[in-house]
Amino acid sequence: MSAASALAATILVIAVTLPAFADALPAGFVRLADVDPSIRQDIRYAGSDNFLHRKVNGYDAPACILTEQAAQALARVQKAVAAGRLTLVVFDCYRPARAVADMGEWTREGGPPDPQWYSRVRRGDLIAKGYVGELSSHSRGSTVDLAIARTDRRSRPSPACGAVDADTLDFGTGFDCFDPMSETAHRGLSTEAAANRRMLVDAMRAGGFRNYAREWWHFTLANEPFAKQRFDFPITAD
C-alpha cells in the first residue's frame, strides 16, 4: 500500500469512528452503572410509568447519569446500606433542562386530578402548588430521587399514590406522589414507613446529601460541583 493510500485509509477509519463519541458525557459527568452497578435503576421518565404517562423529552434511555462527585458519594451510601442486605433504587438522576421544560408545558395544558399521581390537585395547579418546578436542581447533575429495597426478598408495598411496583421498602407513598403525604416528616404515616424514611435520610445525610423536605425521595449533594449551572444534554445508553 502506498503512503497516500495508507493515509487515506487512516482518515477513513477516524471518520468512521468519530460518531461513537457523539454521546460522550460532558466533563465531570459519569454513568452511575460505571461507578456502582449494584445500585438498582428504575428510571421512570424514560417510559410511560410516570405522572405524564409518556416518555419525557430528553430521556432517550433508562440510565442514571450524575456528576462524578455525586455518583461516588452515592456509591458510599450503597456500601453502607448493603451491610443490612439493602440496596438503593434510583428513579431519577440528572434531568436535562429540556425535560424540565417538557414537564412544565405538559402541566400548563391543564386537566383534572389523577387518582394515582395527584388526586387532590388539578394538573394545571401542579406548578403553583410546588409539585412541578419551572427549574430543577436535577439539571445540575447532583440531585437524585431514590428509595431503598431489600436484596434478600421482594417488598412491593403497592402504595396508593405515586409509582407502584417499584419493589422498595414501605415509605408511605410511591415516588412522585404529589400530595402532602410525601413530605418527609409527614405525620400520620405508619410506624414502618416513618422509620424507613428516617433510615433513608440518615444514610443519605451521612453520605453528604441533603433532603428536600417536601419529597422524601429527593436528595442533593451538599457540595455539588455545578451549583449555579444547568445542563441540557440528552440521557442516552452507553
Side-chain angles (χ1 to χ4, degrees), residues 111-130:
D114 184 315
Q116 178 180 352
W117 304 95
Y118 45 96
S119 63
R120 297 197 239 184
V121 60
R122 294 182 62 82
R123 174 169 156 185
D125 294 329
L126 288 173
I127 292 178
K129 296 293 185 180

Side-chain angles (χ1 to χ4, degrees), residues 21-234:
F21 296 94
D23 292 336
L25 300 177
F29 282 81
V30 295
R31 299 180 188 281
L32 181 61
D34 292 335
V35 175
D36 191 336
S38 72
I39 298 175
R40 294 183 188 173
Q41 298 191 29
D42 185 6
I43 308 301
R44 293 300 176 114
Y45 299 143
S48 60
D49 192 8
N50 58 65
F51 68 94
L52 282 79
H53 298 283
R54 63 168 173 78
K55 184 181 85 68
V56 180
N57 189 15
Y59 285 80
D60 298 333
C64 173
I65 295 173
L66 290 166
T67 62
E68 184 173 4
Q69 292 93 326
Q72 293 291 350
L74 207 60
R76 291 191 290 271
V77 177
Q78 174 75 344
K79 183 177 181 180
V81 302
R85 293 185 293 182
L86 300 171
T87 181
L88 299 176
V89 181
V90 295
F91 300 118
D92 193 32
C93 301
Y94 156 72
R95 184 183 304 169
R98 70 189 71 182
V100 179
D102 187 18
M103 291 178 180
E105 292 171 3
W106 172 88
T107 300
R108 285 186 286 271
E109 291 173 0
D114 184 315
Q116 178 180 352
W117 304 95
Y118 45 96
S119 63
R120 297 197 239 184
V121 60
R122 294 182 62 82
R123 174 169 156 185
D125 294 329
L126 288 173
I127 292 178
K129 296 293 185 180
Y131 293 118
V132 175
E134 298 277 16
L135 297 174
S136 174
S137 60
H138 282 276
S139 299
R140 304 197 298 261
S142 295
T143 292
V144 60
D145 294 333
L146 79 172
I148 293 176
R150 299 196 62 86
T151 57
D152 57 349
R153 58 183 172 82
R154 300 187 69 80
S155 300
R156 294 191 180 279
S158 299
C161 177
V164 296
D165 296 330
D167 186 26
T168 69
L169 301 180
D170 182 6
F171 286 92
T173 77
F175 161 65
D176 267 0
C177 171
F178 298 146
D179 189 277
M181 293 187 300
S182 293
E183 295 172 3
T184 307
H186 180 72
R187 296 186 178 185
L189 297 171
S190 69
T191 301
E192 180 181 2
N196 288 335
R197 290 190 185 188
R198 286 194 299 271
M199 176 175 61
L200 177 61
V201 169
D202 289 346
M204 292 296 285
R205 182 185 293 122
F209 292 85
R210 61 180 184 272
N211 174 243
Y212 173 49
R214 293 193 64 182
E215 298 175 349
W216 60 260
W217 57 80
H218 181 115
F219 295 84
T220 299
L221 187 67
N223 296 315
E224 56 181 317
F226 302 113
K228 297 183 179 180
Q229 187 173 353
R230 288 179 169 80
F231 297 84
D232 193 34
F233 61 91

